[in-house]
Structure formats: structure tokens, C-alpha cells
């Protein structure tokens, strides 16, 4: 957080209720030339104190806009949002006192050292000198930057910058932490590290965390509750288990060629089929693209009592004149949940 209106000391304001974040009917529109974009289009969500909530959605879904409203950077067009019981519009200063945030875009000053970055942030928030010193020591250890903390951040790798930003977001001992795409663009090793810190913050400090991601795996790994957001609306929310459970027992993926529409229609009529959708498995090849044309594929959610036999599906495909190139069956994932509720596949 670099924007702050008033110097405020850190406090341990008790929440008015057990909800750390409450959002109701939140709307935010932008005027893009002639077009009005409803970036956030009636979002409702509740995050219990001490839990992790993941807003999962594709590019342009409205995740950053939601975070920007909750961190008081921009006002909503309409609707209500409270953080720690405080209204993000009417009580913005109180909200800022209890939150920490990291943003999607790296904002560290490349000429400052890691230590100076954290120190500057602490002073911006008028933390006492001794507290700044002890927080820097603690947080540098948490995010494993002891070796690099006195180097200019321009010598840091992407993963190190992200870790430093996480430390900065934690300088003020927030009760609620907002992380906008905390692991975007990181390699698996750095991603795993960030995941470990996030889990630690929840387990050891009882922090409430709202994170945004377009990685299924991240939501599945970290979140107590997930809200799938698309076109500014939460299309489905629940625990990862609930969302996956809603898909039924197994998901069958069929690759091949032929009349997908006909096969889909006949699949949807089967008593053992819960849902069926089509998606394209790759980029549509452009004129000078090297990408090979890809065949469409179909995913089928089987009802729980369906059993493991793929035979009926093979027979249906034959009847529909669909040539199967590959057929697989697996436990559903959040990716399948996304596909079911948005009709699109979420790509990493
Ligand atoms: N300041 C702005 N002015 C105009 N349009 C905006 C502005 N900020 C966001 N938008 C539009 O609002 C929509 C939601 O954007 P937002 O950044 O919230 O999406 P996102 O879910 O964070 O996407 P990404 O995964 O790419 O970060 C997009 O259509 C975007 O173009
Ligand atoms: Mg974003």
C-alpha cells in the first residue's frame, strides 16, 4: 500500500462480527470511450475471519477492480463493502489501518534495497522505529530474503520481488491481507514458497486473506472458499470440495473429430450424464501461426452412481458419427468446475 490519506498507527480493532469481509451488490463501471464496462457487476461475497478466500477468474473478470475497491483505492459505483466491519467508502481510513495488500503489478523502487523498501513503508505508516526494525527482521526471515535484503531490488529475481512485496504488505501487521495474483508469472519453486508463507500466515497469525488468481491449482491448494468470477459476476462459490462435489463423481474427456453438437445433444439425454460441454483445447491458429489445428473436445460430468464404464459413451459417439481419438476419465478438478459454470476453460 503506497496510498494513505492520514498517518494512522496500527491497531488491533476487533471485528464487529465474525466476518472480515462483507460485500453486497457491489458494482463498478468504467467508461471506455463510448462503451460503459461493468467491471464488477453485482458481486456478493463474505469472508470469515481467519480464512482464505480465492477469487478465481480469467483475464478481465473483475478481480483487480474488486480488490481495488476493498483496499479503498477506488470507490464502488454502487453496493456495499465492509472490511473488518468498516465501510470502505465512509470509513476508508479505518479500513486502511487494518489491511495489507500486494498488487498485481510489481511496484518496488528498483534502486532501493529490500530493507529500505520495508523501512520506507513502515515510516509511511508511522510505525515506531523499534517496531520497524523488528518487523523487518521477522519478515525478511519469513520470506527468506536474509541474504538479499541489503541489495538494490533491481538485482532481485521476479520471485524475490514478489516475496519482498509480500513482506511489505505485512509490515503494518494487518488483520486482513489482499493479494492480487500473488504468484503470477512465478516458477513452481517460487510459487510453492509463496503458498507456504500464505498458509503459515493463516495458521500462525489467524490472518484473513483474500487472494485473486487465475490458477485453478492455487485456489484449490490455498482457499477455504472459492468464488468463481466471470464478467464481473460470481458465477459459483463454495469450498473447493463443495464445488468439485457439485460435478458428480468423475469427468470424462473425449478428444476427436466429428459432429460435436450431435454428440453433446445425445450425451445430455443420458441418465448417467450430469452435464456435458465443449471446448477448444488450444489457440485458434492464426495466419502465420505455427500452432497445429486442434480438434475440439468434449467434457462429460458423470453422475455419482454412473460407475466407471466408458462403454456407453463410446457407443453414443459411434452412433453420432464422432470419431474418438482419445478418451480419459478422471476425478473432477476446479478447472472442470470453471468449465461447467462458464462454458470456458481457464488457461494458466
Ligand atoms: N481504469 C479502468 N478504466 C477502464 N476500464 C477498466 C479499468 N480498470 C479495469 N477496466 C476494465 O474492467 C474489466 C475488469 O478488469 P480487472 O482488471 O478488474 O480484471 P481482472 O480480473 O483483474 O483481470 P486480469 O486477470 O487480467 O488481472 C476489464 O474489462 C477492464 O478492461
Ligand atoms: Mg487483475
Amino acid at each position: 500500500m503506497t496510498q494513505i490519506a492520514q498517518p494512522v498507527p496500527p491497531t488491533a480493532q476487533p471485528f464487529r462480527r465474525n466476518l472480515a469481509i462483507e460485500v453486497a451488490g457491489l458494482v463498478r463501471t468504467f467508461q471506455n470511450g463510448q462503451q460503459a464496462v461493468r467491471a464488477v457487476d453485482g458481486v456478493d461475497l463474505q469472508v470469515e475471519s481467519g480464512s482464505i478466500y480465492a477469487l478465481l477468474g480469467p483475464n478481465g473478470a473483475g478481480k483487480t477492480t474488486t480488490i481495488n475497491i476493498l483496499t479503498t483505492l477506488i470507490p464502488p459505483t454502487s453496493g456495499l463493502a465492509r472490511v473488518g466491519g468498516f465501510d470502505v467508502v465512509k470509513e476508508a481510513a479505518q479500513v486502511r489501518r487494518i489491511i495489507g495488500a500486494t498488487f498485481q503489478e510489481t511496484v518496488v523502487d528498483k534502486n532501493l534495497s529490500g530493507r529500505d523498501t520495508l523501512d520506507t513503508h513502515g515510516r509511511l505508516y508511522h510505525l515506531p522505529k523499534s517496531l520497524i526494525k523488528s518487523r523487518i527482521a521477522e519478515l525478511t526471515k519469513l520470506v527468506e530474503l536474509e541474504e538479499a535484503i541489503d541489495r538494490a531490488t533491481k538485482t532481485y529475481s521476479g520471485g524475490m520481488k514478489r516475496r519482498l512485496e509480500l513482506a511489505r504488505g505485512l509490515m503494518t501487521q494487518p488483520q486482513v491481507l489482499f493479494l492480487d495474483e500473488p504468484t503470477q508469472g512465478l516458477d513452481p519453486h517460487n510459487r510453492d514458497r509463496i503458498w507456504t508463507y500464505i498458509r503459515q500466515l493463516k495458521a500462525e497469525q489467524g490472518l484473513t486473506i483474500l487472494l485473486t488468481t487465475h490458477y485453478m491449482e492455487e485456489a484449490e491448494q490455498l482457499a477455504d472458499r472459492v468464488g468463481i468470477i466471470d464478467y464481473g459476476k460470481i458465477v459459483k462459490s463454495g469450498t473447493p470440495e463443495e464445488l468439485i462435489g457439485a460435478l458428480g463423481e468423475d469427468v470424462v474427456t473425449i478428444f476427436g473429430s466429428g459432429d460435436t453438437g450431435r454428440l453433446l445433444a445425445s450425451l445430455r439425454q443420458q441418465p448417467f450424464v450430469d452435464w456435458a460441454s465443449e471446448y477448444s483445447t488450444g489457440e485458434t491458429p492464426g495466419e502465420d501461426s505455427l500452432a497445429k489445428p486442434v480438434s475440439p473436445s468434449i467434457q462429460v460430468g458423470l453422475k455419482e452412481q454412473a460407475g466407471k464404464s466408458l462403454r456407453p459413451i463410446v457407443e453414443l459417439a459411434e452412433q453420432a458419427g464422432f470419431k474418438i481419438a482419445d478418451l480419459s476419465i478422471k476425478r473432477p478438478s476446479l478447472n472442470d468446475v470453471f468449465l461447467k459454470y462458464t462454458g470456458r476453460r481457464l488457461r494458466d
Side-chain angles (χ1 to χ4, degrees):
M1 283 284 303
T2 45
Q3 277 124 322
I4 175 134
Q6 289 154 11
V8 280
T11 57
Q13 199 89 28
F15 294 143
R16 283 177 203 163
R17 270 185 278 155
N18 202 30
L19 290 179
I21 304 171
E22 298 173 79
V23 172
L26 199 69
V27 172
R28 171 70 201 208
T29 56
F30 291 109
Q31 197 62 37
N32 278 346
Q34 300 283 47
Q35 248 193 334
V37 180
R38 285 173 86 81
V40 176
D41 193 8
V43 163
D44 300 311
L45 64 87
Q46 301 193 324
V47 184
E48 256 177 57
S49 191
S51 73
I52 300 180
Y53 187 99
L55 260 185
L56 173 70
N59 292 130
K63 303 181 297 293
T64 296
T65 307
T66 304
I67 288 237
N68 286 347
I69 296 169
L70 293 175
T71 54
T72 78
L73 293 182
I74 61 169
T77 305
S78 62
L80 273 177
R82 273 197 284 269
V83 177
F86 297 115
D87 188 291
V88 296
V89 178
K90 294 184 207 126
E91 300 167 299
Q94 286 97 318
V95 170
R96 284 175 207 168
R97 231 181 261 177
I98 60 161
I99 64 169
T102 69
F103 297 99
Q104 191 166 5
E105 258 135 68
T106 310
V107 284
V108 292
D109 179 338
K110 61 185 186 344
N111 292 311
L112 285 184
S113 69
R115 187 183 303 281
D116 289 340
T117 305
L118 298 181
D119 183 74
T120 307
H121 193 73
R123 282 189 285 131
L124 186 70
Y125 279 80
H126 298 262
L127 302 186
K129 251 192 188 151
S130 58
L131 183 62
I132 292 179
K133 208 171 153 205
S134 63
R135 286 299 284 161
I136 291 178
E138 243 170 76
L139 292 170
T140 306
K141 192 156 176 253
L142 172 80
V143 300
E144 301 170 278
L145 281 176
E146 292 109 318
E147 304 269 289
I149 197 68
D150 288 306
R151 281 185 358 223
T153 59
K154 65 183 161 207
T155 69
Y156 285 20
S157 68
M160 290 161 83
K161 279 186 201 144
R162 285 264 149 185
R163 276 144 56 199
L164 180 67
E165 289 189 330
L166 182 60
R168 179 170 52 186
L170 291 165
M171 272 301 283
T172 54
Q173 291 177 294
Q175 296 171 23
V176 183
L177 186 64
F178 294 92
L179 305 173
D180 197 3
E181 308 268 359
T183 65
Q184 192 175 31
L186 297 187
D187 59 49
H189 175 67
N190 273 298
R191 188 201 58 191
D192 284 351
R193 277 177 145 177
I194 301 256
W195 286 359
T196 304
Y197 311 145
I198 292 174
R199 289 195 189 104
Q200 238 173 301
L201 289 166
K202 181 190 134 168
E204 291 168 13
Q205 301 178 30
L207 226 68
T208 306
I209 300 169
L210 187 148
L211 62 90
T212 73
T213 184
H214 56 265
Y215 301 122
M216 285 294 169
E217 205 191 342
E218 187 153 283
E220 213 163 346
Q221 285 282 329
L222 294 177
D224 297 300
R225 287 185 75 79
V226 180
I228 296 177
I229 185 167
D230 199 24
Y231 297 111
K233 288 186 164 75
I234 306 259
V235 292
K236 190 75 192 169
S237 67
T239 64
E241 296 75 29
E242 276 166 7
L243 294 182
I244 291 164
L247 283 176
E249 194 65 357
D250 293 298
V251 175
V252 176
T253 305
I254 309 164
F255 292 95
S257 53
D259 190 342
T260 46
R262 196 169 148 206
L263 178 54
L264 275 173
S266 81
L267 280 166
R268 285 177 183 141
Q269 281 168 12
Q270 304 307 311
F272 61 88
V273 169
D274 187 18
W275 57 273
S277 11
E278 177 185 6
Y279 66 88
S280 171
T281 52
E283 309 287 347
T284 309
E287 270 176 28
D288 23 68
S289 165
L290 292 173
K292 291 195 195 84
V294 288
S295 56
S297 72
I298 290 175
Q299 286 210 320
V300 188
L302 300 182
K303 288 194 180 146
E304 268 182 61
Q305 64 281 15
K308 303 271 178 247
S309 174
L310 294 175
R311 208 180 165 78
I313 292 181
V314 174
E315 281 166 8
L316 282 172
E318 272 168 14
Q319 283 160 23
F322 188 93
K323 211 159 153 245
I324 293 177
D326 188 44
L327 188 66
S328 63
I329 185 161
K330 67 171 171 67
R331 302 280 309 145
S333 70
L334 267 179
N335 206 2
D336 304 317
V337 179
F338 188 84
L339 181 70
K340 177 181 176 184
Y341 288 104
T342 67
R344 290 186 293 119
R345 194 177 184 213
L346 194 57
R347 241 180 312 221
D348 284 356

